Amino acid sequence: MKKLLLVFLSLLLICSMVLVGCGPKDEDPEDDLGATENEDGTYSVSTTYLPSALSTSIGTMLADEDDESFYIANLKNAPFLMVDDMQISDCKVKSISIPIYKTLESDNGVFTFTLCVVRADSLSNLKDTLNNPLKKYTISIDGSRYGLEDSQTVRQYVKIDLKEYDISLTKTQTLAFGDPDDTILPAIIRNDKAKTDDNPAAKLFTDSWGVVSYYYYNEDGAFSIAHSSLLFDLVLERTYESKEAYEQLIADAESAAADYQAKLAAVKAKYEGKYISMMGDSISTCEGVTNNTQYNSTIGSNAVYGQHKKAAPAYHYSKIYWGRFATDVGMNLDVMNAWSGGRVYGKSEASYNDNMLKRSYQLANNDGVNPDLVILYYGINDINSSPSSIYNPGHNLSSVVQYDPTSNLYQQLQNKGTKTESEIVAAWFAEVQAKAADAGYIRTDENPVITPGQTYSCWEAAYALSLYNILNSYNGPDVYIMTLIETNHSSANDGKLDRANTILRAFAEYFDVGLIDQQQGYVLRNNCHLYTYDTESSLHPNIKGHALMTKLIVETVYDRISREQ
């Protein structure tokens, strides 16, 4: 199913691009593409890693010295590993097209470039093997064949045949690129350059393919990630059980793509032209929108996550999960109320915006237009940092009052007996509302009194009060809440993410709102490093991670629409 999903996503990416230009330098660039029926009945298919039109256009732009998108990769920290969805796995590597920026001094006209095989099925395996690869291949490149001279600025794709090296990758392996001793220096694209039209290659690559960041160990020996794109293209041969099995795989992928488009059309039929508002934290911030008072006059000078790391193109409106959803469905943006570092609970000394309940009053835009659809993705900053209703004997409850009547919600849900989850939440929420009223909170006030620690004593109570307020304001919008996604960030939180998601699912049932259950989605803990932006935490989605989130939202909204018909 995962392989089918990758094929499906690749079809969507390829079908969305219209590119022109000339391709990598090679005497016969198509000689190793195509399909072969083998004597044992298996079927081998050779395809390029990048869509051919994209590598063709990038090759043309690389040769243009006026395009400042390209920089020389610093091989002192090599090998580098592409952060992609392991499209370079379960295959033979027949050739590589290297975007050569510069050559160093050769050995009698022979240049070298290194490829390594590493395990990449989990982040821990990647860290263990990147500096100690499973296999290492030093590729010899005859300079005379490709017109390469010593210490020369080249700026062109050069395609190298690799058949003699017999490089094969299993499903849990992928390639790493480069070595400090190489005499071929490849080009990379600076993704932050995609912000301007003066750098067409960066803009084209980022908009059409994404940000192919790469992992490496820096000079201090720390595992790190570079938010610049590696540009290698490869011809990969994959072998299937039979021609019929391959054709069935393609048919299934095409059917899945058609099914998704049908679901998208149904969602679009309901929401096209309507207004969407979003609440969240850094995962949902979006450059040029989140901190734009046109969409929320209360947001202030918000920080867009990743902007300081020069990777903001990954968070453009049409690429971030909710912006991609709104674009695909044809919705108008009402209010984008996301805050980097934002918490549901907030802090007693926090600003107006760092508090979910207060921000729940700010989801209609400056013109007073109410949202038709509200998506809430909140809580990841709370599970380790905010007072919680989760009572877990033997653990430090921090500032949670153990005997507070609004405590122990998770424990109550686990020990519900003959009661339903909704009955448990109903009784608990009545206590939450009573506590808030005693603290002076009146929901219908224009500026209600909201004080973390008094209005509510845990983040779950703040979430429930916020959800209740949204459902009873703005003319009753459709509301969807998102469970917290599995990441390496959550691996050390002692089960808090699981318990938090149990509570969010119970909220969805009690309040009768949509549930976008990311924990049961496409991104799992063992593959989250392929779809996220960070190194250790694997918390913030990259472009392909956002694409998967959008797909899950479309399918969830479609399912709810279908049930309501």
Side-chain angles (χ1 to χ4, degrees):
M1 186 63 190
K2 290 181 181 177
K3 180 67 71 177
L4 181 62
L5 177 61
L6 293 180
V7 173
F8 164 72
L9 289 175
S10 297
L11 284 174
L12 288 184
L13 285 167
I14 292 169
C15 292
S16 67
M17 290 185 286
V18 180
L19 309 172
V20 296
C22 59
K25 181 178 179 180
D26 190 67
E27 295 177 359
D28 186 7
E30 302 300 326
D31 62 357
D32 51 1
L33 297 177
T36 303
E37 292 189 67
N38 303 313
E39 291 182 0
D40 61 358
T42 60
Y43 191 65
S44 297
V45 180
S46 297
T47 58
T48 56
Y49 168 69
L50 292 176
S52 58
L54 176 58
S55 60
T56 294
S57 291
I58 293 298
T60 301
M61 294 172 172
L62 178 61
D64 181 1
E65 295 183 3
D66 292 331
D67 192 329
E68 298 180 352
S69 304
F70 303 96
Y71 286 74
I72 301 175
N74 185 353
L75 291 185
K76 71 177 182 180
N77 295 320
F80 303 137
L81 177 76
M82 289 187 191
V83 184
D84 71 349
D85 47 13
M86 287 187 72
Q87 294 183 75
I88 307 174
S89 66
D90 193 20
C91 63
K92 289 185 176 180
V93 185
K94 298 174 68 175
S95 67
I96 181 171
S97 295
I98 304 174
I100 301 178
Y101 197 111
K102 188 176 181 178
T103 59
L104 300 180
E105 186 175 344
S106 67
D107 181 6
N108 294 320
V110 177
F111 297 89
T112 59
F113 188 76
T114 303
L115 296 175
C116 299
V117 177
V118 298
R119 281 192 65 184
D121 49 327
S122 72
L123 188 62
S124 59
N125 286 328
L126 170 59
K127 291 171 64 178
D128 290 341
T129 66
L130 190 56
N131 269 357
N132 297 286
L134 302 174
K135 294 180 182 179
K136 190 171 183 178
Y137 302 89
T138 300
I139 310 302
S140 298
I141 302 171
D142 182 354
S144 62
R145 179 179 178 185
Y146 299 100
L148 301 177
E149 299 176 0
D150 288 4
S151 305
Q152 173 192 26
T153 297
V154 181
R155 290 188 63 125
Q156 67 183 26
Y157 264 122
V158 172
K159 186 174 182 180
I160 310 299
D161 192 300
L162 298 176
K163 297 184 185 70
E164 66 179 280
Y165 296 93
D166 193 27
I167 303 175
S168 296
L169 306 170
T170 69
K171 293 180 180 179
T172 60
Q173 296 172 346
T174 192
L175 284 183
F177 302 84
D179 183 89
D181 293 329
D182 285 344
T183 52
I184 292 289
L185 302 182
I188 59 174
I189 275 185
R190 283 272 300 273
N191 299 318
D192 58 313
K193 296 291 184 179
K195 296 178 183 179
T196 70
D197 292 331
D198 296 332
N199 300 283
K203 190 172 183 62
L204 173 64
F205 193 87
T206 301
D207 287 347
S208 61
W209 188 245
V211 176
V212 186
S213 307
Y214 55 92
Y215 288 116
Y216 65 98
Y217 280 90
N218 63 28
E219 52 269 26
D220 297 323
F223 189 62
S224 189
I225 192 168
H227 297 294
S228 296
S229 286
L230 298 178
L231 303 174
F232 303 106
D233 197 8
L234 305 107
V235 172
L236 308 173
E237 180 185 82
R238 292 185 171 88
T239 299
Y240 303 86
E241 181 181 348
S242 64
K243 181 179 180 180
E244 290 74 21
Y246 171 75
E247 291 175 342
Q248 185 61 54
L249 178 66
I250 296 301
D252 289 345
E254 291 174 347
S255 177
D259 179 66
Y260 178 76
Q261 290 302 317
K263 291 177 179 178
L264 182 61
V267 175
K268 188 172 183 178
K270 178 171 182 177
Y271 289 111
E272 186 174 20
K274 295 184 179 180
Y275 285 81
I276 182 173
S277 287
M278 174 71 207
M279 290 181 68
D281 48 40
S282 60
I283 293 173
S284 303
T285 55
C286 178
E287 183 193 8
V289 175
T290 300
N291 54 355
N292 190 331
T293 56
Q294 174 185 349
Y295 302 106
N296 190 341
S297 59
T298 69
I299 202 82
S301 55
N302 188 12
V304 178
Y305 184 82
Q307 196 167 38
H308 64 290
K309 296 184 179 181
K310 300 181 179 180
Y315 296 87
H316 282 170
Y317 181 77
S318 63
K319 297 294 186 291
I320 198 167
Y321 71 96
W322 55 266
R324 184 187 295 262
F325 171 83
T327 300
D328 291 349
V329 174
M331 297 193 74
N332 300 304
L333 177 60
D334 197 349
V335 170
M336 180 57 231
N337 205 329
W339 193 263
S340 186
R343 300 183 190 175
V344 174
Y345 181 90
K347 302 177 184 177
S348 298
E349 72 278 9
S351 67
Y352 181 94
N353 296 294
D354 192 18
N355 178 307
M356 184 179 183
L357 183 53
K358 287 185 177 180
R359 283 203 267 158
S360 72
Y361 286 84
Q362 300 293 331
L363 292 178
N365 68 19
N366 298 339
D367 296 327
V369 176
N370 287 320
D372 300 288
L373 176 66
V374 175
I375 296 179
L376 307 175
Y377 186 13
Y378 244 138
I380 197 67
N381 292 319
D382 290 271
I383 60 175
N384 285 323
S385 304
S386 297
S388 172
S389 74
I390 295 171
Y391 172 60
N392 192 5
H395 289 254
N396 183 5
L397 298 179
S398 184
S399 59
V400 178
V401 179
Q402 182 171 339
Y403 300 106
D404 189 304
T406 66
S407 295
N408 309 340
L409 177 57
Y410 175 79
Q411 197 75 9
Q412 293 177 49
L413 290 170
Q414 293 299 104
N415 302 323
K416 62 185 179 181
T418 59
K419 294 181 180 179
T420 65
E421 288 193 351
S422 289
E423 288 173 335
I424 296 293
V425 175
W428 174 85
F429 188 54
E431 295 282 1
V432 169
Q433 290 178 302
K435 185 180 185 70
D438 289 344
Y441 171 70
I442 301 174
R443 187 190 69 81
T444 55
D445 282 358
E446 184 175 349
N447 294 297
V449 176
I450 299 172
T451 306
Q454 298 178 28
T455 308
Y456 47 79
S457 57
C458 58
W459 75 262
E460 295 91 340
Y463 199 113
L465 289 168
S466 303
L467 187 54
Y468 181 80
N469 179 53
I470 294 168
L471 288 168
N472 289 278
S473 305
Y474 313 112
N475 296 327
D478 295 337
V479 177
Y480 286 79
I481 64 177
M482 302 178 71
T483 60
L484 308 179
I485 201 165
E486 286 277 11
T487 70
N488 286 305
H489 176 76
S490 63
S491 63
N493 63 35
D494 199 22
K496 293 175 186 175
L497 182 138
D498 292 337
R499 296 195 290 273
N501 282 341
T502 295
I503 289 173
L504 293 178
R505 292 184 188 104
F507 284 172
E509 181 177 339
Y510 171 69
F511 289 104
D512 191 24
V513 298
L515 178 71
I516 301 165
D517 200 344
Q518 295 194 100
Q519 199 175 26
Q520 306 301 325
Y522 302 114
V523 179
L524 308 173
R525 186 172 298 175
N526 66 352
N527 71 357
C528 61
H529 62 291
L530 302 174
Y531 299 101
T532 47
Y533 178 94
D534 328 77
T535 47
E536 300 295 338
S537 65
S538 294
L539 175 62
H540 297 85
N542 58 24
I543 284 183
K544 293 184 179 180
H546 280 294
L548 288 176
M549 292 168 69
T550 300
K551 186 173 186 292
L552 183 61
I553 293 172
V554 169
E555 291 174 336
T556 301
V557 174
Y558 170 81
D559 288 344
R560 189 168 178 85
I561 291 172
S562 299
R563 291 195 303 270
E564 292 173 348
Q565 289 178 345

